[in-house]
């Protein structure tokens, strides 16, 4: 199933319950979906584009560019970027705030139907592992799985440490991991044609 929108910013018209928010941005048919925390951590409050406007965000975008997921103008290539908590917070969001925002994030993630999830930082990685895989998040040390492929149920997950904390080696390792992954058959699809009448395959993500 192909998405029908060609809008880059907020392609599905999400309207979270706040005056100022940073909507999802990128290719609505993306194969890769970056999952960040919130604008106060990963930027975008001024630009209304995720992962912009802070040193860590710009370092992360540099890595995505090197991996071929952003073009030379900084536009996504088969990539979508969004936040667990899209509203621009006044201070640190509470657990209740994250819970209230979760349906908006989940709806967008399932609408994008990317093959690969790229959570950034502890909170995003924990949420992705707990919600979209059978992996026990408490047993995962993010420092040990930075840039590693974790196989979930329906998604391939490649976590990253927060780019504010990256060493040069960690940045290079993340870029190499994404480059290598893009050279593989990373698509996560199932053929449901066996449940239908006729010989044609029916592949879904």
């Amino acid at each position: 199933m192909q998405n029908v929108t060609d809008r880059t910013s907020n392609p599905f018209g999400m309207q979270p319950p706040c005056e100022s928010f940073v909507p999802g941005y990128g290719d609505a048919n993306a194969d890769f979906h970056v999952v960040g925390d919130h604008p106060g951590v990963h930027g975008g409050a001024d630009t209304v584009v995720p992962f912009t406007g802070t040193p860590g965000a710009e370092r992360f975008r540099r890595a995505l560019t090197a991996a071929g997921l952003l073009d030379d103008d900084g536009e996504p290539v088969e990539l979508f970027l969004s936040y667990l908590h899209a509203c621009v917070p006044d201070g640190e969001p509470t657990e209740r705030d994250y819970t209230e925002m979760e349906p908006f994030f989940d709806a967008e993630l399932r609408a994008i139907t990317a093959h690969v999830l790229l959570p950034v930082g502890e909170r995003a990685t924990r949420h992705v592992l707990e919600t979209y895989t059978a992996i026990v998040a408490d047993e995962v040390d993010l420092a040990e799985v930075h840039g590693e492929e974790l196989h979930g149920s329906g998604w391939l997950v490649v976590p990253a440490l927060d780019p504010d904390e990256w060493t040069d080696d960690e940045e290079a390792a993340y870029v190499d991991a994404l480059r290598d992954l893009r050279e593989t058959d990373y698509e996560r699809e199932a053929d449901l044609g066996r449940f239908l009448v006729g010989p044609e395959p029916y592949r879904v993500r």
Side-chain angles (χ1 to χ4, degrees):
M1 182 177 69
Q2 285 290 101
N3 296 323
V4 296
T5 179
D6 60 359
R7 287 187 298 172
T8 302
S9 181
N10 200 11
F12 303 103
M14 297 293 176
Q15 292 294 325
C18 53
E19 292 184 5
S20 179
F21 66 98
V22 178
Y25 187 92
D27 181 357
N29 296 304
D31 286 344
F32 294 82
H33 187 161
V34 171
V35 180
D37 190 339
H38 65 78
V41 173
H42 290 135
D46 294 328
T47 62
V48 201
V49 176
F51 288 94
T52 56
T54 69
E58 295 306 324
R59 185 172 198 179
F60 184 66
R61 293 179 69 84
R62 184 174 69 201
L64 294 177
T65 301
L69 291 173
L70 293 177
D71 65 22
D72 291 340
D73 294 322
E75 291 301 309
V77 178
E78 298 180 348
L79 181 73
F80 194 80
L81 305 99
S82 65
Y83 289 149
L84 295 179
H85 187 284
C87 292
V88 177
D90 181 12
E92 187 68 21
T94 65
E95 291 301 321
R96 181 176 179 178
D97 292 333
Y98 281 104
T99 299
E100 290 179 349
M101 292 299 299
E102 203 279 335
F104 296 92
F105 168 76
D106 182 73
E108 193 163 60
L109 181 141
R110 295 182 186 279
I112 298 299
T113 62
H115 296 289
V116 184
L117 302 182
L118 305 175
V120 181
E122 287 283 354
R123 179 177 283 275
T125 298
R126 176 175 293 277
H127 181 82
V128 165
L129 295 182
E130 288 178 345
T131 309
Y132 304 108
T133 79
I135 298 168
V136 180
D138 287 341
E139 297 178 359
V140 174
D141 183 340
L142 181 53
E144 294 180 359
V145 298
H146 170 79
E148 297 293 323
E149 297 179 21
L150 306 179
H151 294 268
S153 53
W155 282 278
L156 181 61
V157 180
V158 182
L161 291 162
D162 196 294
D164 279 324
E165 304 169 2
W166 285 358
T167 64
D168 289 344
D169 287 344
E170 287 166 342
E171 179 177 349
Y174 190 66
V175 171
D176 288 344
L178 295 182
R179 284 175 172 168
D180 290 346
L181 180 57
R182 295 188 72 211
E183 295 297 319
T184 69
D185 182 14
Y186 55 77
E187 293 188 359
R188 311 280 287 176
E189 293 184 329
D191 183 4
L192 301 184
R194 64 188 183 278
F195 299 116
L196 304 175
V197 176
E200 294 299 319
Y202 177 60
R203 304 188 68 83
V204 297
R205 298 191 189 187

